[in-house]
Structures are given as structure tokens and as C-alpha cells.
Amino acid sequence: MKFSEVADLLRGQDKVLILTHRRPDGDTLGSAAALCRMLRDLGKTAYMLKNFGTIHLFASYVEPYGAPEGFKPSFVVSVDTASLDLIQENGMGYADGIDLAIDHHPSNSRYAKKTYVDPKSASCGEVIYALARELTELTREIALPLYLAVSTDTGCFRYGNTTAQAHRVAAELMDTGIDAYAVNKAVFSTKTFKRLKLEAMLFEGLELYDGGTVAVAVLTRDMMNRVGATEDDADDLAAFARQVEGVDVGVTIRELDPGSCKISLRSSPAVNSSKVCALLGGGGHAAAGGCTVEGTVDEAKEAILKALDTVWKR
Amino acid sequence: MKFSEVADLLRGQDKVLILTHRRPDGDTLGSAAALCRMLRDLGKTAYMLKNFGTIHLFASYVEPYGAPEGFKPSFVVSVDTASLDLIQENGMGYADGIDLAIDHHPSNSRYAKKTYVDPKSASCGEVIYALARELTELTREIALPLYLAVSTDTGCFRYGNTTAQAHRVAAELMDTGIDAYAVNKAVFSTKTFKRLKLEAMLFEGLELYDGGTVAVAVLTRDMMNRVGATEDDADDLAAFARQVEGVDVGVTIRELDPGSCKISLRSSPAVNSSKVCALLGGGGHAAAGGCTVEGTVDEAKEAILKALDTVWKR
């Protein structure tokens, strides 16, 4: 589907409902909020289906757009959602009737009647930005959630997916006069006290192997309970071990249940994380992989270090 | 001095020596390296005066440009240096003969024979970028140190000084094909083990006041010694206390000598840090201030909390 066709398709609709993905991040929520605002600016009725997984930090961005109970849409759009099983839990009733999927994941499974994917975009927000340019005026109300989308998906322009285009879109968004710094401060420079407590505990138990090139961090259920931490507090802790200077492979072992552990790997180009995790039935990308191991934390540690030895010939 | 005059002035020079500032950061070093490369591309002899305060992280950017012993310059340029007392220690011999200062600090004291300041630029690197566009071709060798300059001075596009222009310059630099991610990874996503140890200790001793709106962190000489930490490890620790969710004022007390403490404040718009620090003989900006207090850590804490109470009427 061509970009101009997406714009035309949206122009012709009314009573639009926008769906986001499970465990919603800034990209899916910001993209949906901006799209909703655009459609309303075009005089249409448009809502987001409330996503009950929305964390407190993002609530204000979507607050004006939640669909009232009983809203009957004529057109359903998903944003930033690669496959049907990732659609927000309370949106599964629409699963068979999603009219349009707008996405940037090359792995999009084409579950919708029509699909527009731009894999060159670091965020879905960049795709929605292009639509805003095509369909309406770029106001602050559209630019602010789009800035949230672009900045969160690129780790505030820090991750490897950050492109020149992402920077150019950010510049255009800032030109509207939005307070980008307030977003950055809240999203990237603030941690909960419980999060800092978890990080301190993770550091306390950090183990270094192979001359400091491998770091293993363990997060047990007991640690979570002692801190009274929520999933929000533990979000993205998998990156913790990898940040230590000199570390090529950061391993994070998270105890899910007694006898079941989720392992996350983050690696430098020296090691292919996906290959290591595949040996334990998992997968991922070259720089980040994951797998689940049935066993205690110690058994999980032994298994992943052995898998790493098999793949990484030093 | 107009921008076109700066470009003309540089075109007419040879045997150029570039000076950077004390405790050199990515902006001064990246700006100097890029300027040096540009001048060489124009067929000129150009060097940076080696800055012995350069931290390991930035060494590779300036390595090709260090002046050999006995180099006699015909033209001396400083970059990113607001006043004479900030010129690198071993450059003070040139203090009376600095021909040109290129800077972005509005406070530049006009110590050079000619001065070009662009206070709208978030980094000096943006000024050098504009010169590169005027004088020569933007190669990767010029773009990489400029990316270091722009990204470090904006905290990877996270700080309040980040502008749309900073993003646009970053996009142009990335268009040359530089590996911006490698810079981001090394500078923004890596911490020394000792740094993490200091953060864990800082967290351990963190005190919250006024319903969690004020956080006080203490860094003693003993903590530094126990960790075997260097100044590099302790760099920018003043931001640690402020990052806690709900905190309006982050106070960091650093014991310099027994009986002498440096206090750093970071605050939300609710409080003017500069006004608080001024009560103790210091200064700064609204969002960040500092002062030095003669006394023990406990005395310093009492003094700053009292000053804060005087200024911040809650």
C-alpha cells in the first residue's frame, strides 16, 4: 500500500477507533494520540480504545482520547502493532475486523485488511508525522505525542536505530513550540525510588566473568517483593549489566516463578545474542536476545554461560 | 564580528594552533578536532595544543591533531572557552595573543583580539559545523568529532538546551555515514564499575525531606578513597539526587577537604537554585547552582537546607 493511499483512505473515514499494543510504550500511545487528534482536526469522530496497561508516565498524553463505552466504530486502525497477538487485550474483539495497520516493524504479519509499514522509520511516530504533514496542520497537540513516540523508541536519540530522519522529525516537532525538555526530563531523567533500590541491589550482586567482559545480574522474586517493586520499576533492567565499562555481554536473569527464569542478553558486536539464546530455545537480534529456562537461578546462570561459551570463541 | 568575516579570517591564515578549555569536555575537544581537520583540508598547517586533562573516552578524537613540541603558530584560536582563566593550563602562555575566540557562551568575556559568539547554539560544535559548511566539504572525519560535540553538550539531545537546530545539525552529520551509535554507546550508555559503586553508595545514603521533594546525597573523601575513584568516576554525580521521582530539589554535598564542602543544587522550575546558592556565596542558573561551605558535611547540609527554606516558600 502506498503512502498516498493511506492518506486517502483515512480522509474517507469517520467514527474511527485506534488500537495500540500490549504493554504500551511511548511509540504506540503517542502515535495513536497524534493520529486521533489529526482525525478530529479533520472534523471526524475518533477515539483510542483505552489501554489499561498504560503506565502513569504516559497517561496524560492519551487522556483526552479514550473511547466512551458503547462507541461503535466504522473503521478500526492499529498503530505500531506487528501481529494480532500483540493487540491490546481488550481490543481482541476487533481482531477480525482491523481495517488498517500502520506500523514500522518489518515483521508486521499483515493481519489487517490493509497494511502500511515503513521499516525505515525508527518509530511508528515518524510514519504518523508524515501523515500529519499530508493531512492537516502540525499543531502542538499533534507534535507533543509524536515527540513522545519518536524519543521513546530511540531512547532519546541514543539507540542504534536512531536515524538522520528521526532527528529531522524531532526538529520539525520542536519548531511547533512544544516543551520537549519536559518530556525528556520525565521519561529519561527520572527514576522511581524503588527503581533505584533495584539497581543498587542488582549492582550489589553483579558478577563479572572472563576478565570483566561478561557481567551477570540477577533479579529474584524475593528482591522484587522486598522492594515492593512493580513491573514499571523493573522495566528495561536488562540493560543494566551491559552498561559496565569493558563488558561485551550483559546477562540478566529474572526469576519469574520458583523454577522458571527469563534470561536477557545484551551484547557488543563481538557476540551474537540471538545465536546464544537460540541454543536455549529463545531468539532475538544480534545485539539483544532472550530465552526462558526452567530451573533455578543458578541453573539458568550455568546454562546461559555454557551457551555463551559455545557461540563466543574468544 | 559577522559569521562571514570569521570564515574569511580563517581562510587567510596558516600555522594555526587551537586551544581548548580546562577539564575539556566533548564540545571543546570535538569542536577543536573538527576545526583542525577543516583547516588541514584547506591545505593549512593546523594543530591542537594537547590538553592533558583529556579523559580516556575522548582521546581518540584528538589523537591525530596534537601539536609537536616546538610548533610556532602564526594564529591562535580558542574554542568553547568563555574566559581567559578557563583556557587549558598549558595554553596560558598564549593568553595575551589569542587571535580568535569561537564560542557559544553568551558570557564570553571578549578576551581574544576577535570574538565570534553564537549564543543560540546549544554547543560550540554547531558553530564549527556552520563554518565547515562555509569553508570545506563535510567529511566523516569532520562530522564525527562534531557529533561528539553536539551530543555531549546536549546530553544526547536530552537537556533543556537542546534545540531544533541541534537536531538538524545531528541529522546532517549522520548523513555523512558516521557511526553515531558508537559515540552514544561509549559516552552515554557506559559507566565504570567504580562509578556504579559510587552511585550505589550515594543511593544508600540518600536522604529525603519535605515529603520526598528534597533529596540530599553526600559524597565524602572516604567514599572516594574506599572505591579508589577518580574525578572521572565522580563526574556529574551532582545530577544523581535530582533524578528521583517526585524530587524538586536535588542537593549533592561533596567533601573536598576536612572542613570544606562543595554543594551542588539541581532544581525543578519550582525553585531557583541560583538564589539559594547565592545565600551561601555561590551562584549559577535557575535549574543548577553551586556554592562552597566551610564546615563539616553535617554543617553544610544544615546550611543549605536553611538557605533552601529561606528561598522556597512552600
Side-chain angles (χ1 to χ4, degrees), chain A residues 218-242:
Chain A
V218 173
L219 182 62
T220 64
R221 286 154 49 92
D222 179 58
M223 286 160 70
M224 290 290 288
N225 290 338
R226 269 190 288 158
V227 174
T230 65
E231 283 306 311
D232 277 12
D233 298 317
D235 188 43
D236 201 33
L237 265 182
F240 187 83
R242 170 79 172 93

Side-chain angles (χ1 to χ4, degrees), chain B residues 235-252:
Chain B
D235 190 43
D236 201 32
L237 266 181
F240 186 83
R242 169 80 172 94
Q243 75 181 323
V244 183
E245 190 180 37
V247 166
D248 282 300
V249 183
V251 179
T252 306

Side-chain angles (χ1 to χ4, degrees), chain A residues 156-158 160 162 164 167-168 172 174-175 181 184-185 189-192 196 203 242-245, chain B residues 156-158 160 162 164 167-168 172 174-175 181 184-185 189-192 196 203 242-245:
Chain A
C156 208
F157 312 95
R158 194 162 49 88
T162 308
H167 279 292
R168 287 196 172 95
E172 297 289 317
M174 287 183 75
D175 280 344
Y181 175 62
N184 297 345
K185 174 78 183 71
S189 304
T190 304
K191 293 180 179 180
T192 64
L196 286 165
F203 177 76
R242 170 79 172 93
Q243 75 180 323
V244 183
E245 189 180 37
Chain B
C156 208
F157 312 96
R158 194 163 48 89
T162 307
H167 279 292
R168 288 196 172 95
E172 297 289 318
M174 287 183 76
D175 280 343
Y181 175 60
N184 297 346
K185 174 78 182 71
S189 304
T190 303
K191 292 181 179 179
T192 64
L196 286 165
F203 177 75
R242 169 80 172 94
Q243 75 181 323
V244 183
E245 190 180 37

Side-chain angles (χ1 to χ4, degrees), chain A residues 194-211:
Chain A
K194 288 174 178 178
R195 165 61 174 235
L196 286 165
K197 182 81 194 158
L198 285 179
E199 289 189 359
M201 291 168 92
L202 232 53
F203 177 76
E204 208 55 50
L206 198 68
E207 293 176 9
L208 296 175
Y209 296 91
D210 289 310

Side-chain angles (χ1 to χ4, degrees), chain A residues 141-160:
Chain A
E141 289 69 29
I142 294 172
L144 189 70
L146 287 182
Y147 182 82
L148 177 75
V150 176
S151 65
T152 51
D153 246 31
T154 58
C156 208
F157 312 95
R158 194 162 49 88
Y159 296 162

Side-chain angles (χ1 to χ4, degrees), chain A residues 233-275:
Chain A
D233 298 317
D235 188 43
D236 201 33
L237 265 182
F240 187 83
R242 170 79 172 93
Q243 75 180 323
V244 183
E245 189 180 37
V247 166
D248 282 299
V249 183
V251 179
T252 307
I253 301 175
R254 169 100 188 256
E255 186 189 30
L256 299 174
D257 295 299
S260 179
C261 294
K262 180 167 175 12
I263 300 177
S264 301
L265 238 68
R266 296 284 185 278
S267 62
S268 78
V271 187
N272 188 314
S273 282
S274 173
K275 283 189 185 169

